[in-house]
Amino acid sequence: MSDAKTKFAERKAHFTTISGLPIERLYTEESLPHWDPEEALGYPGEFPYTRGIYPTMYRGRFWTMRQYAGFGTAVESNQRYRYLLSKGQAGLSVAFDLPTQIGMDSDDPLARGEVGKVGVAIDSLEDMETLFDGIPLEKVSTSMTINATAAILLCLYVAVAKKQGASLAKLSGTVQNDILKEYIARGTYIYPVRPAMRIVTDIFAWCRDSLPKWNTISISGYHIREAGSTAIQEVAFSLADGIAYVQAALDAGLGVDNFAPQLSFFFNAHNDLLEEIAKYRAARRLWARIMRDRFAARDPRSLLLRFHVQTAGSSLTAQQPENNIVRVAIQALAAVLGGCQSLHTNSLDEALALPTEDAALIALRTQQIIAHETGVTNTVDPVAGSYAIEHLTNEIEKGAVAYIEKIDAMGGMLRAIESGFVQGEIQKAAYEFQRAIEKKEQIVVGVNDFIAEEERSIPTLRIDAEIERSQVARLNALRAKRDSTRVQSAIAELQRRAASTENLLPGILAAVESYATVGEISTALRRVFGEYQESVVI
């Protein structure tokens, strides 16, 4: 026996996933006690949707290949969008700069130095028209990563579509509109939680009638994972956010089957291939059960967890950045094997700067190679029945259910956020992961092992400071030429609506069509709703 132990010694005393779930040496049928494949798996396109939300999945059509892009002014971003579409990208994904995300115009003193840096600067309808110049909005699907000012940017998009003569019934895309994760993990909030939730449900109600094909929210586990959560926490907290949104919409008088088919999710794709595949399958199954059993949804479309995936920005390294190409390819493969509906692949240079055109093209080609060359898209859910995958799927679902039950006992997700519980759990997980890296229990190639003696430099994108000055000049010119009386009237009407219970979207649309700015509209709502003050969680 001692000889056998020496001969078959293992590298470590304990093996875990990147999130800390124990991994056994071998999985067998005994690893799945009481596991009923009919109940736990079913068939693709059938409840509980573990194997995918459509019967044919990628045999019918591939996922939408998006590249998250936006920088500088609308002119530069428009050029990048046209370039990506010409290279085979199927949909647009818009990144906005920080001032736009938090409702500040480019000439706001607090916006100085941030204009156009992490996304495109959008101040008005004039900028939005430029952003989508030459791009027929009826024919592309557009995802907009925007939350606190989601209603404003959605109305700007609609206003551009109307000017193009597009049918609003044909517009397709997603507005992220997930304000709860901003309080949890990201920080680009404006208003207190409850009025912010009202804006979310106003978007639900307005789109139900005006934009029937539009996804009204992308409930985001992505940023929760980027903040340091585990895979279980990513599923649990994003689905708990989803529960809060559904309940808020019901409380606002909407019928569950009137808005639930337009809900979508946004998840992270991290490095642990098996755990990530299992995570998507567990989330899909759990959401179907929540919608059927908790909210009594009857429309099968209300049970479907449709989700976009972005590869993990937090996993990218500035050291040996070419290694990021491999990381992204593995993460993208996990998303595809997990059954995503759309996918963004990060570029190799994003630990250093916004992506260059060449880096963005490599990232897009990564998706195209997975789709056309690997063969994994030729059969639906090829990992189903793997003892390891099914065990991990069960464990992630079980852990997520335990968290959701704990949050329910606290009074729901809003209370859990206000108390700091969710933020504290993520912070503890992030601390443990960082400790594992420092102790070399978790190897990050090029960072804490396999370190290069001489680091190579790669080309990076730099945003010219002149962009901020030119954006401010255009904004000032717009204010000088627009009809200020019309703007003031629209802003006054919006404030009246905000002080009432009327839907805000018609008022916001009228304001953007008068060429009121993002900052002016946000300030008008601040006057009524106030601003959120973060509580410190240690």
Side-chain angles (χ1 to χ4, degrees):
M1 287 294 294
S2 61
D3 287 345
K5 284 183 179 179
T6 303
K7 185 176 180 181
F8 298 108
E10 296 186 339
R11 291 180 288 109
K12 296 187 284 189
H14 303 286
F15 287 78
T16 68
T17 67
I18 202 169
S19 296
L21 280 175
I23 294 293
E24 302 301 328
R25 177 186 300 173
L26 183 69
Y27 289 94
T28 66
E29 191 174 352
E30 284 70 39
S31 306
L32 299 170
H34 315 298
W35 186 73
D36 179 356
E38 279 201 26
E39 181 186 343
L41 285 181
Y43 290 93
E46 295 181 10
F47 187 88
Y49 305 102
T50 312
R51 303 200 63 186
I53 60 173
Y54 302 122
T56 56
M57 289 300 288
Y58 307 135
R59 284 172 67 102
R61 64 182 293 267
F62 293 126
W63 61 94
T64 301
M65 299 179 193
R66 301 184 191 276
Q67 288 305 115
Y68 183 49
F71 60 93
T73 66
V75 172
E76 288 85 7
S77 293
N78 175 263
Q79 291 169 352
R80 176 66 64 86
Y81 295 157
R82 289 183 184 221
Y83 171 78
L84 290 169
L85 289 169
S86 75
K87 298 299 180 183
Q89 179 172 295
L92 299 176
S93 184
V94 184
F96 298 97
D97 71 357
L98 282 174
T100 304
Q101 291 181 48
I102 55 177
M104 292 179 179
D105 288 332
S106 295
D107 62 350
D108 191 297
L110 292 176
R112 193 165 299 150
E114 289 294 342
V115 175
K117 285 291 176 70
V118 299
V120 61
I122 297 294
D123 290 316
S124 71
L125 179 54
E126 187 175 76
D127 290 330
M128 206 70 161
E129 290 175 279
T130 303
L131 185 66
F132 293 106
D133 181 46
I135 299 172
L137 299 189
E138 264 192 19
K139 297 181 179 178
V140 299
S141 169
T142 303
S143 171
M144 294 189 285
T145 303
I146 197 72
N147 296 284
T149 54
I152 303 172
L153 272 298
L154 177 58
C155 286
L156 285 167
Y157 190 85
V158 168
V160 172
K162 287 171 68 176
K163 281 185 163 244
Q164 289 185 358
S167 165
L168 300 190
K170 294 181 180 178
L171 291 188
S172 66
T174 304
V175 64
Q176 192 164 94
N177 193 30
D178 178 5
I179 199 62
L180 291 180
K181 67 97 171 49
E182 298 298 331
Y183 305 107
I184 294 170
R186 194 161 172 270
T188 61
Y189 42 70
I190 303 175
Y191 317 110
V193 178
R194 293 174 197 279
M197 287 289 282
R198 171 197 167 175
I199 297 173
V200 170
T201 56
D202 277 1
I203 291 173
F204 288 0
W206 187 72
C207 287
R208 177 190 59 190
D209 300 323
S210 302
L211 298 178
K213 291 180 67 177
W214 195 265
N215 297 320
T216 52
I217 193 167
S218 179
I219 303 161
S220 177
Y222 182 85
H223 303 93
I224 290 169
R225 190 64 178 276
E226 289 291 281
S229 80
T230 66
I232 287 174
Q233 289 170 342
E234 181 186 355
V235 172
F237 297 154
S238 55
L239 266 58
D241 281 348
I243 290 168
Y245 291 126
V246 171
Q247 190 59 56
L250 294 175
D251 292 344
L254 301 178
V256 65
D257 289 321
N258 289 332
F259 66 86
Q262 290 175 284
L263 304 180
S264 65
F265 285 79
F266 173 24
F267 290 118
N268 199 293
H270 222 289
N271 284 333
D272 194 311
L273 183 71
L274 301 185
E275 181 176 57
E276 292 301 289
I277 296 168
K279 177 185 76 180
Y280 305 126
R281 300 169 88 251
R284 193 160 46 231
R285 184 165 72 200
L286 181 53
W287 184 248
R289 290 173 174 164
I290 287 169
M291 293 305 294
R292 184 192 68 175
D293 301 338
R294 182 172 184 147
F295 292 113
R298 293 293 172 260
D299 187 336
R301 296 175 304 155
S302 299
L303 312 184
L304 304 183
L305 186 142
R306 296 168 300 117
F307 66 98
H308 171 72
V309 173
Q310 180 174 337
T311 56
S314 60
S315 74
L316 303 179
T317 63
Q319 300 92 333
Q320 303 175 33
E322 291 94 340
N323 293 342
N324 294 330
I325 298 173
V326 182
R327 292 185 177 102
V328 167
I330 292 167
Q331 293 163 7
L333 180 61
V336 170
L337 289 173
C340 70
Q341 276 61 66
S342 72
L343 175 61
H344 162 85
T345 34
N346 289 329
S347 300
L348 69 100
D349 52 0
E350 289 192 61
L352 300 164
L354 291 170
T356 63
E357 205 168 77
D358 287 345
L361 182 58
I362 291 171
L364 177 59
R365 292 291 185 249
T366 301
Q367 296 198 48
Q368 291 164 339
I369 288 168
I370 291 172
H372 295 282
E373 297 187 21
T374 63
V376 300
T377 58
N378 294 340
T379 187
V380 180
D381 191 22
V383 299
S386 156
Y387 297 128
I389 290 289
E390 300 301 351
H391 174 81
L392 284 171
T393 301
N394 292 343
E395 289 300 297
I396 291 171
E397 182 180 16
K398 185 167 66 176
V401 167
Y403 261 121
I404 291 170
E405 288 175 348
K406 192 167 190 177
I407 289 166
D408 284 342
M410 292 178 175
M413 197 55 166
L414 270 64
R415 292 279 177 86
I417 292 169
E418 289 169 342
S419 71
F421 168 74
V422 177
Q423 299 93 313
E425 291 295 291
I426 296 169
Q427 288 165 9
K428 284 187 281 187
Y431 174 76
E432 291 300 325
F433 184 69
Q434 184 60 34
R435 289 274 293 163
I437 292 173
E438 291 170 0
K439 293 192 291 185
K440 281 197 167 184
E441 293 170 358
Q442 177 68 49
I443 298 300
V444 180
V445 174
V447 175
N448 64 354
D449 207 348
F450 310 107
I451 298 167
E453 292 183 11
E454 291 186 18
E455 286 294 336
R456 292 179 56 213
S457 62
I458 61 171
T460 54
L461 181 69
R462 295 289 175 226
I463 304 300
D464 189 343
E466 178 58 33
I467 281 176
E468 182 169 329
R469 289 190 287 272
S470 65
Q471 179 69 15
V472 170
R474 278 193 296 274
L475 177 59
N476 289 333
L478 170 72
R479 290 198 181 112
K481 69 185 180 184
R482 69 187 182 181
D483 183 342
S484 58
T485 302
R486 183 184 173 200
V487 172
Q488 290 167 7
S489 175
I491 291 293
E493 167 60 13
L494 177 59
Q495 285 189 222
R496 185 198 67 75
R497 282 178 176 265
S500 72
T501 58
E502 293 178 49
N503 194 297
L504 292 169
L505 273 292
I508 294 172
L509 181 59
V512 302
E513 289 182 325
S514 77
Y515 288 87
T517 66
V518 171
E520 290 164 346
I521 295 168
S522 300
T523 297
L525 295 176
R526 282 184 179 97
R527 292 192 189 109
V528 179
F529 297 148
E531 290 186 285
Y532 177 73
Q533 301 298 320
E534 185 177 16
S535 56
V536 177
V537 179
I538 298 176

